[in-house]
Amino acid sequence: MLSKHLSLSLHLQTSCKDLKKTYTQRREEAEQRAELLREEMDRESASMDTSWMEQFRHCRNIIALDRRLVVSLIVRVIIFRDKRVEIVYRWQNEFDLQRDLLRMAQAERQVG
């Protein structure tokens, strides 16, 4: 009976060590992938045209729209019969990309 307990205890210790080793390897791989993603995001950010961000920063304290501002920021405004309004911004794709990058970074922080 004692030998069974010792054998079971030894088996559990071995299993725990194996699990810890596997977990450690997976964690290291995940950290390496996260670092590669951060580097890729940094490269993307550095290579992107950020003039649209400067335009938005310049306009951040605007309290009223004038024609010049609308023309510089908006491509078109679509008004639907059901009273919905859709605004298509001049830099919508860049804005969406930045928003997605921020969401990815936030999700990565929550996981990490």
Side-chain angles (χ1 to χ4, degrees), residues 41 95-109:
M41 287 170 50
F95 179 77
D96 291 341
L97 177 62
Q98 289 297 319
R99 185 192 60 221
D100 293 344
L101 287 173
L102 284 172
R103 285 182 180 159
M104 285 173 47
Q106 289 171 343
E108 184 180 307
R109 284 188 201 127

Side-chain angles (χ1 to χ4, degrees), residues 29-108:
E29 290 170 2
E31 287 173 353
Q32 288 172 353
R33 285 193 304 267
E35 182 60 31
L36 290 174
L37 283 173
R38 277 191 287 276
E39 290 171 3
E40 183 179 343
M41 287 170 50
D42 289 344
R43 281 192 306 273
E44 287 291 325
S45 295
S47 68
M48 285 191 315
D49 176 22
T50 57
S51 62
W52 66 275
M53 281 192 265
E54 292 301 321
Q55 182 73 26
F56 276 119
R57 281 190 197 116
H58 175 71
C59 300
R60 71 176 171 231
N61 294 324
I62 301 294
I63 56 174
L65 290 175
D66 60 11
R67 185 183 192 302
R68 181 188 59 81
L69 190 59
V70 169
V71 169
S72 69
L73 296 177
I74 297 173
V75 173
R76 70 177 161 265
V77 176
I78 305 167
I79 302 172
F80 297 93
R81 290 181 188 211
D82 62 357
K83 299 183 181 182
R84 287 182 300 119
V85 176
E86 180 180 326
I87 300 172
V88 179
Y89 294 97
R90 189 163 303 283
W91 295 286
Q92 187 67 48
N93 291 342
E94 290 87 350
F95 179 77
D96 291 341
L97 177 62
Q98 289 297 319
R99 185 192 60 221
D100 293 344
L101 287 173
L102 284 172
R103 285 182 180 159
M104 285 173 47
Q106 289 171 343
E108 184 180 307

